[in-house]
Short mmCIF file of all heavy atoms in Angstrom, two decimals:
data_model
loop_
_atom_site.label_atom_id
_atom_site.label_comp_id
_atom_site.label_asym_id
_atom_site.label_seq_id
_atom_site.Cartn_x
_atom_site.Cartn_y
_atom_site.Cartn_z
N SER A 1079 100.62 83.66 119.32
CA SER A 1079 102.05 83.35 119.47
C SER A 1079 102.36 81.85 119.34
O SER A 1079 103.31 81.47 118.65
CB SER A 1079 102.57 83.87 120.80
OG SER A 1079 102.45 85.27 120.80
N ALA A 1080 101.55 81.00 120.00
CA ALA A 1080 101.86 79.56 119.98
C ALA A 1080 101.76 79.02 118.55
O ALA A 1080 102.60 78.22 118.12
CB ALA A 1080 100.91 78.82 120.91
N VAL A 1081 100.74 79.47 117.81
CA VAL A 1081 100.57 79.01 116.43
C VAL A 1081 101.72 79.53 115.57
O VAL A 1081 102.31 78.80 114.76
CB VAL A 1081 99.21 79.50 115.84
CG1 VAL A 1081 99.02 79.01 114.42
CG2 VAL A 1081 98.06 79.07 116.74
N ALA A 1082 102.08 80.80 115.79
CA ALA A 1082 103.18 81.39 115.01
C ALA A 1082 104.47 80.62 115.26
O ALA A 1082 105.24 80.35 114.32
CB ALA A 1082 103.35 82.86 115.39
N ASP A 1083 104.72 80.23 116.52
CA ASP A 1083 105.95 79.47 116.83
C ASP A 1083 105.95 78.13 116.08
O ASP A 1083 106.98 77.71 115.56
CB ASP A 1083 106.07 79.24 118.34
CG ASP A 1083 106.36 80.55 119.08
OD1 ASP A 1083 106.79 81.53 118.41
OD2 ASP A 1083 106.14 80.61 120.31
N SER A 1084 104.79 77.47 116.02
CA SER A 1084 104.73 76.20 115.29
C SER A 1084 104.97 76.43 113.81
O SER A 1084 105.68 75.66 113.15
CB SER A 1084 103.37 75.52 115.43
OG SER A 1084 102.93 75.55 116.73
N LEU A 1085 104.39 77.50 113.27
CA LEU A 1085 104.59 77.78 111.83
C LEU A 1085 106.06 78.06 111.53
O LEU A 1085 106.60 77.65 110.51
CB LEU A 1085 103.74 79.00 111.40
CG LEU A 1085 102.24 78.77 111.34
CD1 LEU A 1085 101.49 80.09 111.19
CD2 LEU A 1085 101.89 77.84 110.16
N MET A 1086 106.71 78.77 112.46
CA MET A 1086 108.13 79.10 112.27
C MET A 1086 109.01 77.84 112.29
O MET A 1086 110.07 77.80 111.70
CB MET A 1086 108.62 80.08 113.35
CG MET A 1086 108.10 81.48 113.19
SD MET A 1086 108.60 82.25 111.64
CE MET A 1086 110.35 82.50 111.90
N ALA A 1087 108.54 76.80 113.01
CA ALA A 1087 109.35 75.58 113.13
C ALA A 1087 109.23 74.69 111.88
O ALA A 1087 110.01 73.75 111.71
CB ALA A 1087 108.90 74.81 114.37
N LEU A 1088 108.26 74.98 111.01
CA LEU A 1088 108.08 74.14 109.81
C LEU A 1088 109.17 74.41 108.77
O LEU A 1088 109.74 75.50 108.73
CB LEU A 1088 106.72 74.46 109.16
CG LEU A 1088 105.46 74.16 109.98
CD1 LEU A 1088 104.22 74.64 109.22
CD2 LEU A 1088 105.37 72.66 110.27
N ASN A 1089 109.43 73.41 107.92
CA ASN A 1089 110.34 73.69 106.79
C ASN A 1089 109.56 74.48 105.72
O ASN A 1089 108.33 74.60 105.82
CB ASN A 1089 110.96 72.40 106.23
CG ASN A 1089 109.90 71.44 105.70
OD1 ASN A 1089 108.86 71.88 105.19
ND2 ASN A 1089 110.13 70.15 105.85
N ASP A 1090 110.27 75.00 104.73
CA ASP A 1090 109.64 75.87 103.72
C ASP A 1090 108.46 75.21 103.01
O ASP A 1090 107.42 75.83 102.78
CB ASP A 1090 110.68 76.28 102.67
CG ASP A 1090 111.34 77.60 103.04
OD1 ASP A 1090 111.04 78.11 104.14
OD2 ASP A 1090 112.16 78.10 102.24
N ARG A 1091 108.65 73.93 102.71
CA ARG A 1091 107.60 73.23 101.95
C ARG A 1091 106.32 73.15 102.77
O ARG A 1091 105.23 73.50 102.31
CB ARG A 1091 108.11 71.83 101.58
CG ARG A 1091 107.20 71.08 100.66
CD ARG A 1091 107.67 69.66 100.37
NE ARG A 1091 106.52 68.80 100.12
CZ ARG A 1091 105.81 68.22 101.06
NH1 ARG A 1091 106.12 68.37 102.32
NH2 ARG A 1091 104.76 67.47 100.74
N ASP A 1092 106.45 72.73 104.05
CA ASP A 1092 105.27 72.58 104.90
C ASP A 1092 104.66 73.94 105.24
O ASP A 1092 103.44 74.07 105.36
CB ASP A 1092 105.63 71.81 106.18
CG ASP A 1092 105.97 70.37 105.87
OD1 ASP A 1092 105.65 69.94 104.74
OD2 ASP A 1092 106.57 69.69 106.72
N PHE A 1093 105.52 74.95 105.39
CA PHE A 1093 105.01 76.30 105.64
C PHE A 1093 104.15 76.75 104.45
O PHE A 1093 103.05 77.27 104.60
CB PHE A 1093 106.17 77.27 105.87
CG PHE A 1093 105.75 78.69 106.14
CD1 PHE A 1093 105.30 79.07 107.39
CD2 PHE A 1093 105.78 79.65 105.13
CE1 PHE A 1093 104.90 80.39 107.64
CE2 PHE A 1093 105.38 80.96 105.36
CZ PHE A 1093 104.94 81.33 106.63
N GLY A 1094 104.68 76.48 103.24
CA GLY A 1094 103.96 76.85 102.00
C GLY A 1094 102.60 76.15 101.95
O GLY A 1094 101.59 76.74 101.58
N LEU A 1095 102.56 74.86 102.38
CA LEU A 1095 101.29 74.10 102.37
C LEU A 1095 100.29 74.72 103.35
O LEU A 1095 99.11 74.87 103.04
CB LEU A 1095 101.55 72.63 102.73
CG LEU A 1095 102.28 71.81 101.66
CD1 LEU A 1095 102.60 70.41 102.17
CD2 LEU A 1095 101.44 71.74 100.38
N GLU A 1096 100.79 75.08 104.55
CA GLU A 1096 99.93 75.72 105.56
C GLU A 1096 99.36 77.03 105.03
O GLU A 1096 98.20 77.37 105.23
CB GLU A 1096 100.73 76.02 106.84
CG GLU A 1096 100.90 74.86 107.77
CD GLU A 1096 99.56 74.36 108.33
OE1 GLU A 1096 98.71 75.19 108.70
OE2 GLU A 1096 99.38 73.13 108.36
N LEU A 1097 100.24 77.77 104.35
CA LEU A 1097 99.86 79.07 103.78
C LEU A 1097 98.71 78.89 102.78
O LEU A 1097 97.71 79.60 102.82
CB LEU A 1097 101.09 79.64 103.09
CG LEU A 1097 101.19 81.12 102.84
CD1 LEU A 1097 100.95 81.90 104.10
CD2 LEU A 1097 102.60 81.45 102.30
N ARG A 1098 98.85 77.90 101.92
CA ARG A 1098 97.81 77.63 100.92
C ARG A 1098 96.51 77.21 101.61
O ARG A 1098 95.43 77.63 101.25
CB ARG A 1098 98.26 76.50 99.99
CG ARG A 1098 99.02 77.00 98.80
CD ARG A 1098 99.52 75.81 97.97
NE ARG A 1098 100.96 75.94 97.75
CZ ARG A 1098 101.49 76.68 96.82
NH1 ARG A 1098 100.74 77.36 96.00
NH2 ARG A 1098 102.79 76.76 96.69
N GLU A 1099 96.66 76.35 102.60
CA GLU A 1099 95.48 75.85 103.33
C GLU A 1099 94.70 77.01 103.97
O GLU A 1099 93.48 77.07 103.91
CB GLU A 1099 95.98 74.86 104.37
CG GLU A 1099 95.03 74.58 105.48
CD GLU A 1099 94.61 73.12 105.54
OE1 GLU A 1099 95.32 72.29 104.95
OE2 GLU A 1099 93.56 72.85 106.16
N LYS A 1100 95.42 77.95 104.59
CA LYS A 1100 94.78 79.06 105.30
C LYS A 1100 94.16 80.08 104.35
O LYS A 1100 93.14 80.67 104.64
CB LYS A 1100 95.83 79.81 106.13
CG LYS A 1100 96.08 79.21 107.47
CD LYS A 1100 95.15 79.80 108.51
CE LYS A 1100 95.47 79.17 109.83
NZ LYS A 1100 94.46 79.00 110.75
N THR A 1101 94.84 80.30 103.22
CA THR A 1101 94.45 81.44 102.39
C THR A 1101 93.73 81.04 101.10
O THR A 1101 93.30 81.91 100.34
CB THR A 1101 95.68 82.30 102.02
OG1 THR A 1101 96.62 81.47 101.35
CG2 THR A 1101 96.34 82.90 103.25
N GLY A 1102 93.60 79.73 100.86
CA GLY A 1102 92.88 79.27 99.67
C GLY A 1102 93.49 79.84 98.40
O GLY A 1102 94.70 79.81 98.21
N ASP A 1103 92.62 80.46 97.54
CA ASP A 1103 93.11 80.99 96.25
C ASP A 1103 93.65 82.41 96.38
O ASP A 1103 94.00 83.04 95.38
CB ASP A 1103 91.95 81.02 95.23
CG ASP A 1103 91.44 79.63 94.95
OD1 ASP A 1103 92.25 78.69 95.09
OD2 ASP A 1103 90.24 79.49 94.62
N PHE A 1104 93.65 82.92 97.60
CA PHE A 1104 93.98 84.34 97.82
C PHE A 1104 95.32 84.73 97.19
O PHE A 1104 95.44 85.79 96.59
CB PHE A 1104 94.00 84.60 99.33
CG PHE A 1104 94.13 86.05 99.72
CD1 PHE A 1104 93.09 86.94 99.52
CD2 PHE A 1104 95.30 86.52 100.30
CE1 PHE A 1104 93.21 88.27 99.89
CE2 PHE A 1104 95.44 87.84 100.68
CZ PHE A 1104 94.38 88.73 100.47
N LEU A 1105 96.33 83.84 97.32
CA LEU A 1105 97.68 84.19 96.83
C LEU A 1105 97.95 83.76 95.39
O LEU A 1105 98.84 84.31 94.76
CB LEU A 1105 98.74 83.51 97.71
CG LEU A 1105 99.01 84.11 99.09
CD1 LEU A 1105 99.97 83.22 99.86
CD2 LEU A 1105 99.62 85.49 98.95
N GLY A 1106 97.24 82.77 94.90
CA GLY A 1106 97.59 82.18 93.61
C GLY A 1106 98.88 81.36 93.78
O GLY A 1106 99.28 81.04 94.91
N GLU A 1107 99.54 81.04 92.65
CA GLU A 1107 100.80 80.28 92.74
C GLU A 1107 101.92 81.18 93.24
O GLU A 1107 102.01 82.34 92.86
CB GLU A 1107 101.17 79.71 91.36
CG GLU A 1107 100.31 78.53 90.92
CD GLU A 1107 100.34 77.38 91.92
OE1 GLU A 1107 101.44 76.99 92.36
OE2 GLU A 1107 99.25 76.90 92.29
N PHE A 1108 102.80 80.65 94.10
CA PHE A 1108 103.92 81.45 94.61
C PHE A 1108 105.06 80.53 95.01
O PHE A 1108 104.87 79.32 95.19
CB PHE A 1108 103.48 82.28 95.83
CG PHE A 1108 103.11 81.43 97.01
CD1 PHE A 1108 104.06 81.04 97.94
CD2 PHE A 1108 101.80 81.02 97.19
CE1 PHE A 1108 103.71 80.24 99.02
CE2 PHE A 1108 101.44 80.21 98.27
CZ PHE A 1108 102.40 79.82 99.18
N THR A 1109 106.27 81.10 95.14
CA THR A 1109 107.39 80.35 95.73
C THR A 1109 107.99 81.21 96.84
O THR A 1109 108.01 82.44 96.75
CB THR A 1109 108.50 80.05 94.68
OG1 THR A 1109 108.68 81.22 93.88
CG2 THR A 1109 108.17 78.88 93.81
N MET A 1110 108.48 80.54 97.89
CA MET A 1110 109.12 81.27 98.99
C MET A 1110 110.45 81.84 98.47
O MET A 1110 111.18 81.17 97.78
CB MET A 1110 109.42 80.33 100.17
CG MET A 1110 108.22 79.70 100.83
SD MET A 1110 107.04 80.89 101.51
CE MET A 1110 108.01 81.70 102.76
N HIS A 1111 110.73 83.10 98.84
CA HIS A 1111 111.93 83.74 98.31
C HIS A 1111 112.93 84.14 99.39
O HIS A 1111 114.07 84.47 99.10
CB HIS A 1111 111.52 84.97 97.49
CG HIS A 1111 112.64 85.58 96.73
ND1 HIS A 1111 113.12 85.03 95.57
CD2 HIS A 1111 113.40 86.67 96.97
CE1 HIS A 1111 114.12 85.77 95.12
NE2 HIS A 1111 114.31 86.78 95.95
N SER A 1112 112.47 84.17 100.65
CA SER A 1112 113.40 84.59 101.72
C SER A 1112 113.19 83.72 102.95
O SER A 1112 112.24 82.94 103.02
CB SER A 1112 113.13 86.05 102.12
OG SER A 1112 112.00 86.12 102.96
N ALA A 1113 114.06 83.94 103.93
CA ALA A 1113 113.84 83.29 105.23
C ALA A 1113 112.61 83.92 105.87
O ALA A 1113 112.12 84.96 105.42
CB ALA A 1113 115.06 83.51 106.11
N ARG A 1114 112.11 83.29 106.94
CA ARG A 1114 110.97 83.85 107.69
C ARG A 1114 111.46 84.47 108.99
O ARG A 1114 112.43 83.99 109.58
CB ARG A 1114 110.00 82.72 108.06
CG ARG A 1114 109.11 82.29 106.96
CD ARG A 1114 108.46 80.96 107.32
NE ARG A 1114 109.19 79.83 106.76
CZ ARG A 1114 109.29 78.65 107.35
NH1 ARG A 1114 108.73 78.43 108.52
NH2 ARG A 1114 109.96 77.67 106.76
N PHE A 1115 110.78 85.52 109.43
CA PHE A 1115 111.11 86.18 110.69
C PHE A 1115 109.80 86.37 111.45
O PHE A 1115 108.77 86.61 110.84
CB PHE A 1115 111.75 87.55 110.45
CG PHE A 1115 113.04 87.48 109.67
CD1 PHE A 1115 113.01 87.37 108.28
CD2 PHE A 1115 114.26 87.50 110.32
CE1 PHE A 1115 114.19 87.28 107.55
CE2 PHE A 1115 115.44 87.42 109.60
CZ PHE A 1115 115.41 87.32 108.21
N ALA A 1116 109.86 86.28 112.79
CA ALA A 1116 108.62 86.48 113.58
C ALA A 1116 108.83 87.60 114.59
O ALA A 1116 109.85 87.64 115.28
CB ALA A 1116 108.26 85.19 114.30
N TYR A 1117 107.88 88.52 114.63
CA TYR A 1117 107.97 89.67 115.55
C TYR A 1117 106.79 89.66 116.54
O TYR A 1117 105.63 89.65 116.10
CB TYR A 1117 107.91 90.99 114.75
CG TYR A 1117 109.11 91.19 113.87
CD1 TYR A 1117 109.13 90.71 112.56
CD2 TYR A 1117 110.23 91.84 114.35
CE1 TYR A 1117 110.24 90.88 111.75
CE2 TYR A 1117 111.35 92.02 113.54
CZ TYR A 1117 111.34 91.54 112.24
OH TYR A 1117 112.44 91.71 111.44
N PRO A 1118 107.08 89.69 117.85
CA PRO A 1118 105.99 89.80 118.81
C PRO A 1118 105.30 91.15 118.68
O PRO A 1118 105.98 92.17 118.50
CB PRO A 1118 106.68 89.70 120.18
CG PRO A 1118 108.12 89.42 119.91
CD PRO A 1118 108.40 89.69 118.46
N LEU A 1119 103.98 91.17 118.74
CA LEU A 1119 103.25 92.43 118.49
C LEU A 1119 102.77 93.07 119.79
O LEU A 1119 102.23 92.40 120.67
CB LEU A 1119 102.05 92.15 117.57
CG LEU A 1119 102.42 91.47 116.24
CD1 LEU A 1119 101.19 91.28 115.37
CD2 LEU A 1119 103.48 92.26 115.48
N LYS A 1120 103.00 94.37 119.89
CA LYS A 1120 102.65 95.12 121.11
C LYS A 1120 102.00 96.43 120.75
O LYS A 1120 102.24 96.96 119.66
CB LYS A 1120 103.93 95.48 121.88
CG LYS A 1120 104.75 94.30 122.34
CD LYS A 1120 106.14 94.78 122.75
CE LYS A 1120 107.10 93.64 122.96
NZ LYS A 1120 107.15 93.04 124.23
N MET A 1121 101.25 96.96 121.70
CA MET A 1121 100.75 98.34 121.57
C MET A 1121 101.25 99.10 122.78
O MET A 1121 101.01 98.70 123.92
CB MET A 1121 99.22 98.34 121.54
CG MET A 1121 98.62 99.62 121.04
SD MET A 1121 98.48 100.88 122.29
CE MET A 1121 96.73 100.92 122.49
N ARG A 1122 102.00 100.16 122.52
CA ARG A 1122 102.56 100.96 123.60
C ARG A 1122 102.58 102.44 123.18
O ARG A 1122 102.92 102.74 122.04
CB ARG A 1122 104.03 100.58 123.86
CG ARG A 1122 104.30 99.17 124.29
CD ARG A 1122 104.13 99.02 125.80
NE ARG A 1122 104.64 97.75 126.26
CZ ARG A 1122 103.99 96.58 126.17
NH1 ARG A 1122 102.81 96.53 125.61
NH2 ARG A 1122 104.54 95.47 126.62
N VAL A 1123 102.25 103.31 124.12
CA VAL A 1123 102.47 104.75 123.85
C VAL A 1123 103.10 105.34 125.11
O VAL A 1123 102.56 105.18 126.22
CB VAL A 1123 101.16 105.51 123.51
CG1 VAL A 1123 101.47 106.98 123.22
CG2 VAL A 1123 100.46 104.89 122.31
N ALA A 1124 104.24 106.01 124.96
CA ALA A 1124 104.93 106.58 126.13
C ALA A 1124 104.05 107.62 126.80
O ALA A 1124 103.33 108.37 126.12
CB ALA A 1124 106.25 107.22 125.68
N ASP A 1125 104.12 107.68 128.13
CA ASP A 1125 103.32 108.65 128.90
C ASP A 1125 103.62 110.08 128.49
O ASP A 1125 102.78 110.96 128.57
CB ASP A 1125 103.64 108.51 130.40
CG ASP A 1125 102.71 107.51 131.04
OD1 ASP A 1125 101.80 107.03 130.34
OD2 ASP A 1125 102.90 107.21 132.24
N SER A 1126 104.87 110.30 128.11
CA SER A 1126 105.25 111.62 127.63
C SER A 1126 106.31 111.45 126.55
O SER A 1126 107.05 110.46 126.56
CB SER A 1126 105.83 112.42 128.82
OG SER A 1126 106.37 113.62 128.33
N PHE A 1127 106.34 112.35 125.58
CA PHE A 1127 107.34 112.26 124.51
C PHE A 1127 108.56 113.13 124.83
O PHE A 1127 109.53 113.14 124.07
CB PHE A 1127 106.75 112.70 123.16
CG PHE A 1127 105.81 111.69 122.53
CD1 PHE A 1127 105.31 110.62 123.25
CD2 PHE A 1127 105.45 111.79 121.19
CE1 PHE A 1127 104.46 109.68 122.67
CE2 PHE A 1127 104.61 110.86 120.59
CZ PHE A 1127 104.10 109.81 121.34
N VAL A 1128 108.48 113.90 125.92
CA VAL A 1128 109.61 114.79 126.27
C VAL A 1128 109.81 114.80 127.78
O VAL A 1128 108.90 114.52 128.55
CB VAL A 1128 109.36 116.26 125.80
CG1 VAL A 1128 109.23 116.35 124.30
CG2 VAL A 1128 108.15 116.87 126.47
N SER A 1129 111.06 115.11 128.19
CA SER A 1129 111.31 115.50 129.58
C SER A 1129 112.50 116.45 129.49
O SER A 1129 113.01 116.70 128.39
CB SER A 1129 111.57 114.28 130.46
OG SER A 1129 112.87 113.84 130.34
N GLU A 1130 112.94 116.99 130.61
CA GLU A 1130 113.99 118.00 130.52
C GLU A 1130 115.21 117.49 129.73
O GLU A 1130 115.75 116.43 130.04
CB GLU A 1130 114.43 118.41 131.92
CG GLU A 1130 115.33 119.62 131.89
CD GLU A 1130 115.47 120.28 133.25
OE1 GLU A 1130 115.76 119.55 134.21
OE2 GLU A 1130 115.27 121.50 133.33
#
Side-chain angles (χ1 to χ4, degrees):
S1079 297
V1081 181
D1083 291 342
S1084 315
L1085 289 168
M1086 287 299 290
L1088 297 176
N1089 61 33
D1090 267 5
R1091 187 183 150 276
D1092 292 345
F1093 180 79
L1095 289 174
E1096 279 296 318
L1097 201 53
R1098 271 176 233 278
E1099 161 118 19
K1100 275 270 181 211
T1101 58
D1103 297 333
F1104 188 71
L1105 284 174
E1107 286 303 312
F1108 65 89
T1109 41
M1110 297 301 297
H1111 189 76
S1112 79
R1114 281 166 264 147
F1115 299 82
Y1117 294 89
L1119 304 182
K1120 299 165 192 273
M1121 196 277 250
R1122 298 275 192 281
V1123 181
D1125 269 356
S1126 172
F1127 285 14
V1128 298
S1129 81
E1130 190 164 50

